[in-house]
Amino acid sequence: MDYSSLARQLTQDEAGVLFDIDSLYARFLTLADTRKARGRVFSLAVALLAFVLAKLAGEDKPTGIAHWARLRCALFVECFRLKHARMPHADTYRRLLGTVLDVDAFEWLVDQFMQELMATRAEAPAAPGRYLQVALDGKTLRGTIPLGSSRGVHLLAAYVPSHGIVLFQVAVDQKTNEITAAPQVLKMVDLGGKLVTGDALLAQRGLSRQVTAAGGHFVWTTKDN
């Protein structure tokens, strides 16, 4: 089936570059769906595709993701020949992610897709002395800080600012900080010929050596103190 029309209308960016809906959808078809066939309305692959596209569009909560998908229901129905002219409810996304999906397998598929996408979207070779930037940045997810606590779910991500693509991210253990999570993130990213940037917290000798050993370069932003 050709999903090019869906790709054009959902994921065309300012530079007119499309990302490969066929490839991402095909990967999601390989994930195990543990739900019983009876009463199953939405395929796991279609729901996950809508989930990822909504996340790329800036939605970060199940209600926002469901609303984003509903606004594009006609496109999904046409391109995926859905039997029902509706998209999953927010609770469906919560249930799929919480009890049905193998989250590790899902994240691995998305990470691999994003890294390949970054490579295919790269523009002409950079001029001498210029490198593709990979930024390390940590953020706490909104709505995850329990009452009476000062810390919620904190993620450290490696992303490409020029392309708006997250290559890999991990949850930072509450008993540690980004310094201990950074080596794991860097290990999962191809750093050859890349410029890795980060804030003062990441200005560590060990991380610097890891970047250069992998063929990359680094710039850590430090402060006066």
Side-chain angles (χ1 to χ4, degrees):
M1 188 180 299
D2 181 11
Y3 304 112
S4 58
S5 61
L6 178 65
R8 290 191 185 93
Q9 296 181 66
L10 293 183
T11 60
Q12 189 167 17
D13 63 17
E14 293 179 356
V17 179
L18 307 178
F19 86 61
D20 189 353
I21 295 293
D22 288 322
S23 176
L24 185 58
Y25 178 70
R27 291 169 196 238
F28 289 159
L29 286 174
T30 67
L31 292 171
D33 188 346
T34 60
R35 296 174 297 168
K36 294 181 180 180
R38 183 177 181 181
R40 187 188 303 173
V41 178
F42 306 100
S43 78
L44 181 63
V46 170
L48 292 179
L49 183 62
F51 176 84
V52 170
L53 293 178
K55 290 282 289 183
L56 291 174
E59 301 294 345
D60 59 0
K61 293 183 178 181
T63 51
I65 291 167
H67 178 69
W68 184 95
R70 281 198 302 272
L71 293 178
R72 293 154 180 84
C73 178
L75 291 174
F76 278 91
V77 170
E78 176 185 356
C79 294
F80 293 95
R81 300 175 185 173
L82 303 183
K83 296 180 180 179
H84 306 281
R86 62 180 187 271
M87 295 300 289
H89 187 273
D91 288 339
T92 302
Y93 291 109
R94 294 189 183 98
R95 185 167 59 255
L96 290 176
L97 295 175
T99 63
V100 175
L101 185 64
D102 182 338
V103 176
D104 290 336
F106 171 64
E107 289 187 347
W108 185 86
L109 285 179
V110 174
D111 291 336
Q112 292 298 309
F113 175 80
M114 290 302 181
Q115 293 202 47
E116 292 175 14
L117 178 62
M118 182 196 71
T120 58
R121 291 182 62 183
E123 299 175 356
R130 297 189 64 184
Y131 304 94
L132 183 67
Q133 180 188 3
V134 174
L136 293 179
D137 189 30
K139 294 187 181 297
T140 299
L141 297 181
R142 290 186 299 177
T144 63
I145 302 178
L147 185 63
S149 177
S150 60
R151 184 170 180 177
V153 177
H154 192 78
L155 302 177
L156 179 66
Y159 72 98
V160 182
S162 61
H163 294 71
I165 297 175
V166 174
L167 300 177
F168 191 77
Q169 65 180 7
V170 297
V172 179
D173 192 293
Q174 294 195 3
K175 297 181 180 179
T176 60
N177 56 33
E178 293 179 7
I179 297 174
T180 59
Q184 181 181 355
V185 175
L186 292 175
K187 184 173 64 175
M188 299 302 296
V189 178
D190 178 10
L191 301 179
K194 310 297 192 306
L195 176 65
V196 179
T197 62
D199 58 22
L201 179 66
L202 299 176
Q204 307 288 325
R205 288 189 178 92
L207 293 180
S208 302
R209 293 191 183 105
Q210 182 178 353
V211 172
T212 55
H217 308 267
F218 61 87
V219 172
W220 310 125
T221 303
T222 57
K223 303 176 182 178
D224 290 339
N225 60 352

